[in-house]
Amino acid sequence: MIVLAGATAGIYASYVVFWAMAANVFQGSAATGGFALINAIGLWGGVISPMVVGKLTSMTGTLSVGMLCMAVTVAIGALILWSVTRRITAPSVSPVPSEIL
């Protein structure tokens, strides 16, 4: 029970970091549309993923393939998130040499 409570606390703590990063990605009036897009993708994932896992389980007879598919999907999402945040947090290089500034 303690481990489950700790896992739940970790999941909810990650929401804060995720939405803070999303606020850095979407600026100004694009923020509303960006947050709506994130929610729409999440809702579709909640509908599609059980169907994919169920179909793969019935096709292969094991739950491992469905879980592997979900793990690959999460890894792809993590790579996309990493590339977006890396681009945003990259230091900007001034085109003018520092001696002139």
Side-chain angles (χ1 to χ4, degrees), residues 48-58 62-63 66-67 69-70:
I48 300 295
S49 65
M51 288 191 279
V52 169
V53 171
K55 185 68 172 174
L56 289 173
T57 300
S58 66
T62 178
L63 191 61
M67 293 297 109
C69 179
M70 292 299 110

Side-chain angles (χ1 to χ4, degrees), residues 13-92:
S14 69
Y15 290 161
V16 175
V17 175
F18 175 77
W19 287 111
M21 287 189 320
N24 287 336
V25 172
F26 301 114
Q27 301 290 325
S29 61
T32 306
F35 291 144
L37 177 65
I38 290 170
N39 280 321
I41 291 170
L43 289 172
W44 272 106
V47 171
I48 300 295
S49 65
M51 288 191 279
V52 169
V53 171
K55 185 68 172 174
L56 289 173
T57 300
S58 66
M59 287 172 50
T60 61
T62 178
L63 191 61
S64 299
V65 177
M67 293 297 109
L68 181 64
C69 179
M70 292 299 110
V72 168
T73 304
V74 169
I76 290 170
L79 288 174
I80 292 170
L81 182 62
W82 176 73
S83 68
V84 168
T85 56
R86 185 169 179 217
R87 201 171 323 136
I88 290 171
T89 59
S92 61

